[in-house]
Short mmCIF file of all heavy atoms in Angstrom, two decimals:
data_model
loop_
_atom_site.label_atom_id
_atom_site.label_comp_id
_atom_site.label_asym_id
_atom_site.label_seq_id
_atom_site.Cartn_x
_atom_site.Cartn_y
_atom_site.Cartn_z
N MET A 24 0.84 -1.18 0.00
CA MET A 24 0.00 0.00 0.00
C MET A 24 0.89 1.24 0.00
O MET A 24 1.81 1.36 0.79
CB MET A 24 -0.88 -0.03 1.25
CG MET A 24 -1.87 1.06 1.31
SD MET A 24 -2.99 0.71 2.70
CE MET A 24 -3.57 2.31 3.00
N SER A 25 0.61 2.19 -0.88
CA SER A 25 1.42 3.39 -0.97
C SER A 25 1.04 4.37 0.15
O SER A 25 -0.10 4.41 0.59
CB SER A 25 1.25 4.05 -2.33
OG SER A 25 -0.10 4.45 -2.50
N PRO A 26 2.01 5.16 0.60
CA PRO A 26 1.71 6.10 1.69
C PRO A 26 0.79 7.21 1.22
O PRO A 26 0.79 7.60 0.05
CB PRO A 26 3.09 6.65 2.06
CG PRO A 26 3.91 6.48 0.83
CD PRO A 26 3.38 5.24 0.15
N ARG A 27 -0.02 7.70 2.12
CA ARG A 27 -0.92 8.81 1.80
C ARG A 27 -0.10 10.09 1.77
O ARG A 27 0.68 10.38 2.69
CB ARG A 27 -2.00 8.90 2.85
CG ARG A 27 -3.00 9.98 2.58
CD ARG A 27 -4.23 9.81 3.44
NE ARG A 27 -5.10 10.94 3.20
CZ ARG A 27 -5.58 11.73 4.14
NH1 ARG A 27 -5.33 11.47 5.40
NH2 ARG A 27 -6.34 12.75 3.83
N LEU A 28 -0.26 10.88 0.71
CA LEU A 28 0.47 12.12 0.58
C LEU A 28 -0.45 13.30 0.90
O LEU A 28 -1.57 13.37 0.40
CB LEU A 28 1.02 12.27 -0.85
CG LEU A 28 2.00 11.18 -1.27
CD1 LEU A 28 2.41 11.38 -2.72
CD2 LEU A 28 3.22 11.18 -0.37
N LEU A 29 0.03 14.21 1.72
CA LEU A 29 -0.75 15.36 2.15
C LEU A 29 -0.24 16.63 1.47
O LEU A 29 0.94 16.74 1.15
CB LEU A 29 -0.65 15.53 3.67
CG LEU A 29 -1.06 14.33 4.51
CD1 LEU A 29 -0.76 14.59 5.97
CD2 LEU A 29 -2.52 14.02 4.31
N THR A 30 -1.13 17.58 1.28
CA THR A 30 -0.75 18.86 0.69
C THR A 30 -0.18 19.77 1.77
O THR A 30 -0.33 19.52 2.97
CB THR A 30 -1.96 19.56 0.05
OG1 THR A 30 -2.91 19.85 1.07
CG2 THR A 30 -2.58 18.69 -1.04
N VAL A 31 0.45 20.84 1.34
CA VAL A 31 1.03 21.81 2.27
C VAL A 31 -0.05 22.40 3.19
O VAL A 31 0.14 22.42 4.41
CB VAL A 31 1.81 22.91 1.51
CG1 VAL A 31 2.16 24.07 2.42
CG2 VAL A 31 3.07 22.32 0.89
N PRO A 32 -1.20 22.84 2.66
CA PRO A 32 -2.23 23.37 3.57
C PRO A 32 -2.75 22.34 4.59
O PRO A 32 -3.04 22.70 5.74
CB PRO A 32 -3.35 23.81 2.63
CG PRO A 32 -2.67 24.10 1.35
CD PRO A 32 -1.56 23.10 1.27
N GLN A 33 -2.84 21.07 4.20
CA GLN A 33 -3.29 20.04 5.12
C GLN A 33 -2.30 19.87 6.27
O GLN A 33 -2.69 19.74 7.43
CB GLN A 33 -3.46 18.70 4.39
CG GLN A 33 -4.64 18.65 3.47
CD GLN A 33 -4.67 17.37 2.65
OE1 GLN A 33 -3.63 16.87 2.23
NE2 GLN A 33 -5.87 16.85 2.43
N VAL A 34 -1.01 19.87 5.96
CA VAL A 34 0.01 19.71 6.99
C VAL A 34 0.09 20.95 7.87
O VAL A 34 0.27 20.85 9.08
CB VAL A 34 1.38 19.38 6.36
CG1 VAL A 34 2.47 19.29 7.41
CG2 VAL A 34 1.29 18.07 5.57
N MET A 35 -0.07 22.13 7.26
CA MET A 35 -0.08 23.37 8.05
C MET A 35 -1.18 23.32 9.10
O MET A 35 -0.95 23.68 10.26
CB MET A 35 -0.31 24.58 7.13
CG MET A 35 0.86 24.97 6.29
SD MET A 35 0.46 26.21 5.03
CE MET A 35 -0.45 27.43 5.95
N ALA A 36 -2.36 22.85 8.71
CA ALA A 36 -3.48 22.76 9.64
C ALA A 36 -3.23 21.70 10.72
O ALA A 36 -3.51 21.92 11.89
CB ALA A 36 -4.77 22.44 8.89
N ALA A 37 -2.67 20.56 10.32
CA ALA A 37 -2.44 19.47 11.27
C ALA A 37 -1.38 19.85 12.31
O ALA A 37 -1.52 19.54 13.49
CB ALA A 37 -2.01 18.21 10.53
N LEU A 38 -0.33 20.54 11.87
CA LEU A 38 0.76 20.91 12.78
C LEU A 38 0.55 22.28 13.41
O LEU A 38 1.29 22.66 14.31
CB LEU A 38 2.10 20.90 12.04
CG LEU A 38 2.57 19.57 11.47
CD1 LEU A 38 3.89 19.74 10.73
CD2 LEU A 38 2.69 18.52 12.56
N GLN A 39 -0.42 23.01 12.90
CA GLN A 39 -0.72 24.37 13.36
C GLN A 39 0.52 25.27 13.28
O GLN A 39 0.92 25.90 14.26
CB GLN A 39 -1.30 24.36 14.77
CG GLN A 39 -2.63 23.64 14.84
CD GLN A 39 -3.22 23.66 16.23
OE1 GLN A 39 -2.57 24.00 17.21
NE2 GLN A 39 -4.49 23.28 16.32
N VAL A 40 1.13 25.29 12.09
CA VAL A 40 2.28 26.13 11.83
C VAL A 40 2.00 26.96 10.57
O VAL A 40 1.12 26.65 9.79
CB VAL A 40 3.58 25.32 11.65
CG1 VAL A 40 3.95 24.58 12.92
CG2 VAL A 40 3.47 24.35 10.49
N SER A 41 2.80 27.99 10.37
CA SER A 41 2.66 28.82 9.18
C SER A 41 3.31 28.14 7.98
O SER A 41 4.09 27.19 8.13
CB SER A 41 3.32 30.18 9.41
OG SER A 41 4.72 30.02 9.51
N ARG A 42 3.00 28.64 6.80
CA ARG A 42 3.60 28.12 5.57
C ARG A 42 5.12 28.27 5.63
O ARG A 42 5.86 27.37 5.26
CB ARG A 42 3.02 28.87 4.37
CG ARG A 42 3.54 28.39 3.04
CD ARG A 42 2.89 29.13 1.88
NE ARG A 42 1.46 28.91 1.84
CZ ARG A 42 0.86 27.92 1.17
NH1 ARG A 42 1.59 27.08 0.46
NH2 ARG A 42 -0.44 27.77 1.18
N TRP A 43 5.58 29.42 6.12
CA TRP A 43 7.02 29.68 6.22
C TRP A 43 7.69 28.65 7.10
O TRP A 43 8.73 28.09 6.76
CB TRP A 43 7.25 31.10 6.77
CG TRP A 43 8.68 31.50 6.77
CD1 TRP A 43 9.37 32.08 5.74
CD2 TRP A 43 9.62 31.35 7.83
NE1 TRP A 43 10.67 32.29 6.12
CE2 TRP A 43 10.85 31.86 7.39
CE3 TRP A 43 9.53 30.82 9.11
CZ2 TRP A 43 11.99 31.85 8.19
CZ3 TRP A 43 10.67 30.82 9.91
CH2 TRP A 43 11.88 31.34 9.44
N THR A 44 7.10 28.38 8.26
CA THR A 44 7.67 27.39 9.20
C THR A 44 7.69 26.01 8.57
O THR A 44 8.68 25.27 8.70
CB THR A 44 6.86 27.37 10.51
OG1 THR A 44 6.89 28.68 11.09
CG2 THR A 44 7.43 26.35 11.48
N LEU A 45 6.63 25.65 7.87
CA LEU A 45 6.56 24.34 7.24
C LEU A 45 7.66 24.18 6.19
O LEU A 45 8.35 23.16 6.14
CB LEU A 45 5.18 24.12 6.61
CG LEU A 45 4.95 22.75 6.01
CD1 LEU A 45 5.07 21.66 7.07
CD2 LEU A 45 3.59 22.69 5.34
N TYR A 46 7.86 25.20 5.36
CA TYR A 46 8.92 25.13 4.35
C TYR A 46 10.30 25.11 4.99
O TYR A 46 11.21 24.45 4.49
CB TYR A 46 8.79 26.26 3.33
CG TYR A 46 7.81 25.91 2.23
CD1 TYR A 46 6.49 26.34 2.28
CD2 TYR A 46 8.19 25.12 1.16
CE1 TYR A 46 5.58 26.00 1.30
CE2 TYR A 46 7.31 24.77 0.16
CZ TYR A 46 6.00 25.21 0.23
OH TYR A 46 5.11 24.86 -0.74
N GLN A 47 10.48 25.79 6.11
CA GLN A 47 11.75 25.73 6.84
C GLN A 47 12.02 24.31 7.33
O GLN A 47 13.14 23.82 7.26
CB GLN A 47 11.76 26.70 8.02
CG GLN A 47 11.84 28.15 7.62
CD GLN A 47 13.15 28.47 6.95
OE1 GLN A 47 13.19 28.61 5.73
NE2 GLN A 47 14.20 28.56 7.69
N LEU A 48 10.99 23.64 7.85
CA LEU A 48 11.13 22.25 8.31
C LEU A 48 11.49 21.33 7.15
O LEU A 48 12.33 20.44 7.30
CB LEU A 48 9.83 21.78 8.96
CG LEU A 48 9.49 22.40 10.32
CD1 LEU A 48 8.07 22.02 10.72
CD2 LEU A 48 10.48 21.97 11.38
N MET A 49 10.88 21.55 5.99
CA MET A 49 11.19 20.72 4.82
C MET A 49 12.60 21.00 4.32
O MET A 49 13.34 20.06 3.99
CB MET A 49 10.16 20.95 3.71
CG MET A 49 8.80 20.37 4.04
SD MET A 49 7.64 20.44 2.66
CE MET A 49 7.22 22.16 2.63
N ASN A 50 13.00 22.26 4.27
CA ASN A 50 14.33 22.62 3.77
C ASN A 50 15.44 22.13 4.69
O ASN A 50 16.54 21.80 4.23
CB ASN A 50 14.44 24.13 3.57
CG ASN A 50 13.64 24.60 2.37
OD1 ASN A 50 13.38 23.85 1.45
ND2 ASN A 50 13.24 25.86 2.40
N SER A 51 15.18 22.08 5.99
CA SER A 51 16.19 21.63 6.94
C SER A 51 16.32 20.10 6.97
O SER A 51 17.24 19.56 7.56
CB SER A 51 15.87 22.13 8.35
OG SER A 51 14.74 21.46 8.87
N GLY A 52 15.34 19.40 6.36
CA GLY A 52 15.37 17.95 6.36
C GLY A 52 14.65 17.34 7.54
O GLY A 52 14.59 16.11 7.67
N GLU A 53 14.09 18.18 8.40
CA GLU A 53 13.37 17.69 9.58
C GLU A 53 12.04 17.03 9.20
O GLU A 53 11.54 16.18 9.91
CB GLU A 53 13.12 18.87 10.53
CG GLU A 53 13.25 18.51 11.97
CD GLU A 53 13.17 19.74 12.86
OE1 GLU A 53 13.85 20.74 12.58
OE2 GLU A 53 12.42 19.65 13.85
N LEU A 54 11.49 17.47 8.06
CA LEU A 54 10.23 16.93 7.57
C LEU A 54 10.42 16.49 6.13
O LEU A 54 10.87 17.28 5.30
CB LEU A 54 9.14 18.02 7.66
CG LEU A 54 7.72 17.61 7.38
CD1 LEU A 54 7.23 16.62 8.44
CD2 LEU A 54 6.81 18.82 7.36
N ASP A 55 10.15 15.22 5.86
CA ASP A 55 10.31 14.71 4.50
C ASP A 55 9.25 15.29 3.58
O ASP A 55 8.12 15.52 4.00
CB ASP A 55 10.18 13.18 4.49
CG ASP A 55 11.33 12.50 5.20
OD1 ASP A 55 12.42 13.09 5.24
OD2 ASP A 55 11.13 11.39 5.71
N SER A 56 9.63 15.50 2.33
CA SER A 56 8.65 15.95 1.34
C SER A 56 9.04 15.41 -0.02
O SER A 56 10.20 15.03 -0.25
CB SER A 56 8.57 17.47 1.30
OG SER A 56 9.77 18.03 0.81
N ILE A 57 8.07 15.37 -0.91
CA ILE A 57 8.27 14.87 -2.26
C ILE A 57 7.84 15.96 -3.22
O ILE A 57 6.78 16.55 -3.06
CB ILE A 57 7.41 13.61 -2.49
CG1 ILE A 57 7.82 12.51 -1.52
CG2 ILE A 57 7.52 13.14 -3.93
CD1 ILE A 57 6.86 11.35 -1.45
N VAL A 58 8.67 16.24 -4.23
CA VAL A 58 8.31 17.21 -5.25
C VAL A 58 7.55 16.48 -6.34
O VAL A 58 8.01 15.49 -6.89
CB VAL A 58 9.57 17.90 -5.82
CG1 VAL A 58 9.18 18.88 -6.91
CG2 VAL A 58 10.34 18.59 -4.72
N VAL A 59 6.35 16.98 -6.63
CA VAL A 59 5.50 16.40 -7.65
C VAL A 59 5.33 17.44 -8.75
O VAL A 59 4.84 18.53 -8.49
CB VAL A 59 4.11 16.01 -7.08
CG1 VAL A 59 3.22 15.44 -8.16
CG2 VAL A 59 4.27 15.04 -5.93
N GLY A 60 5.77 17.11 -9.95
CA GLY A 60 5.69 18.08 -11.04
C GLY A 60 6.72 19.17 -10.85
O GLY A 60 7.81 18.95 -10.33
N VAL A 61 6.35 20.38 -11.24
CA VAL A 61 7.29 21.48 -11.19
C VAL A 61 7.21 22.24 -9.87
O VAL A 61 8.21 22.56 -9.26
CB VAL A 61 7.03 22.46 -12.36
CG1 VAL A 61 7.97 23.64 -12.30
CG2 VAL A 61 7.18 21.74 -13.69
N ARG A 62 5.99 22.50 -9.38
CA ARG A 62 5.85 23.37 -8.22
C ARG A 62 5.10 22.75 -7.05
O ARG A 62 4.87 23.43 -6.05
CB ARG A 62 5.10 24.63 -8.64
CG ARG A 62 5.87 25.47 -9.63
CD ARG A 62 5.08 26.68 -10.00
NE ARG A 62 4.57 27.35 -8.82
CZ ARG A 62 3.99 28.51 -8.81
NH1 ARG A 62 3.83 29.16 -9.93
NH2 ARG A 62 3.52 29.05 -7.70
N CYS A 63 4.70 21.52 -7.15
CA CYS A 63 3.89 20.91 -6.09
C CYS A 63 4.77 20.10 -5.13
O CYS A 63 5.66 19.38 -5.55
CB CYS A 63 2.85 19.97 -6.69
SG CYS A 63 1.62 20.80 -7.67
N ARG A 64 4.47 20.23 -3.86
CA ARG A 64 5.12 19.42 -2.83
C ARG A 64 4.05 18.64 -2.10
O ARG A 64 2.97 19.12 -1.84
CB ARG A 64 5.85 20.30 -1.81
CG ARG A 64 7.16 20.79 -2.30
CD ARG A 64 8.02 21.14 -1.10
NE ARG A 64 9.28 21.66 -1.57
CZ ARG A 64 10.42 20.99 -1.51
NH1 ARG A 64 10.45 19.81 -0.98
NH2 ARG A 64 11.51 21.52 -1.94
N ARG A 65 4.41 17.42 -1.76
CA ARG A 65 3.53 16.56 -0.96
C ARG A 65 4.35 16.01 0.18
O ARG A 65 5.53 15.73 0.05
CB ARG A 65 2.95 15.41 -1.79
CG ARG A 65 2.07 15.86 -2.94
CD ARG A 65 0.78 16.47 -2.43
NE ARG A 65 -0.11 16.84 -3.51
CZ ARG A 65 -0.24 18.06 -3.98
NH1 ARG A 65 0.49 19.05 -3.50
NH2 ARG A 65 -1.09 18.34 -4.95
N ILE A 66 3.69 15.83 1.31
CA ILE A 66 4.35 15.33 2.51
C ILE A 66 3.72 14.01 2.87
O ILE A 66 2.49 13.92 3.02
CB ILE A 66 4.19 16.34 3.68
CG1 ILE A 66 4.85 17.68 3.33
CG2 ILE A 66 4.82 15.80 4.95
CD1 ILE A 66 3.95 18.68 2.76
N PRO A 67 4.51 12.94 2.99
CA PRO A 67 3.95 11.65 3.38
C PRO A 67 3.32 11.75 4.76
O PRO A 67 3.85 12.42 5.65
CB PRO A 67 5.16 10.72 3.42
CG PRO A 67 6.22 11.40 2.63
CD PRO A 67 5.95 12.86 2.74
N GLU A 68 2.19 11.11 4.94
CA GLU A 68 1.49 11.15 6.22
C GLU A 68 2.37 10.62 7.35
O GLU A 68 2.29 11.08 8.48
CB GLU A 68 0.20 10.33 6.12
CG GLU A 68 -0.72 10.50 7.28
CD GLU A 68 -2.06 9.81 7.06
OE1 GLU A 68 -2.06 8.71 6.48
OE2 GLU A 68 -3.07 10.37 7.48
N SER A 69 3.25 9.69 7.04
CA SER A 69 4.12 9.11 8.06
C SER A 69 5.16 10.10 8.58
O SER A 69 5.70 9.93 9.66
CB SER A 69 4.83 7.88 7.50
OG SER A 69 5.63 8.25 6.38
N ALA A 70 5.44 11.14 7.79
CA ALA A 70 6.44 12.15 8.23
C ALA A 70 5.87 12.98 9.34
O ALA A 70 6.56 13.50 10.18
CB ALA A 70 6.84 13.04 7.05
#
């Protein structure tokens, strides 16, 4: 079974953080993310 991928707004709501904070977590490697297409990011639910 493939992992469920969440959008940036879904993760922002779940973690109650701002978009800026979420992207900082992804850029630092603290939160895994997958680039889909050119501009889309998805975060595995397990992250």
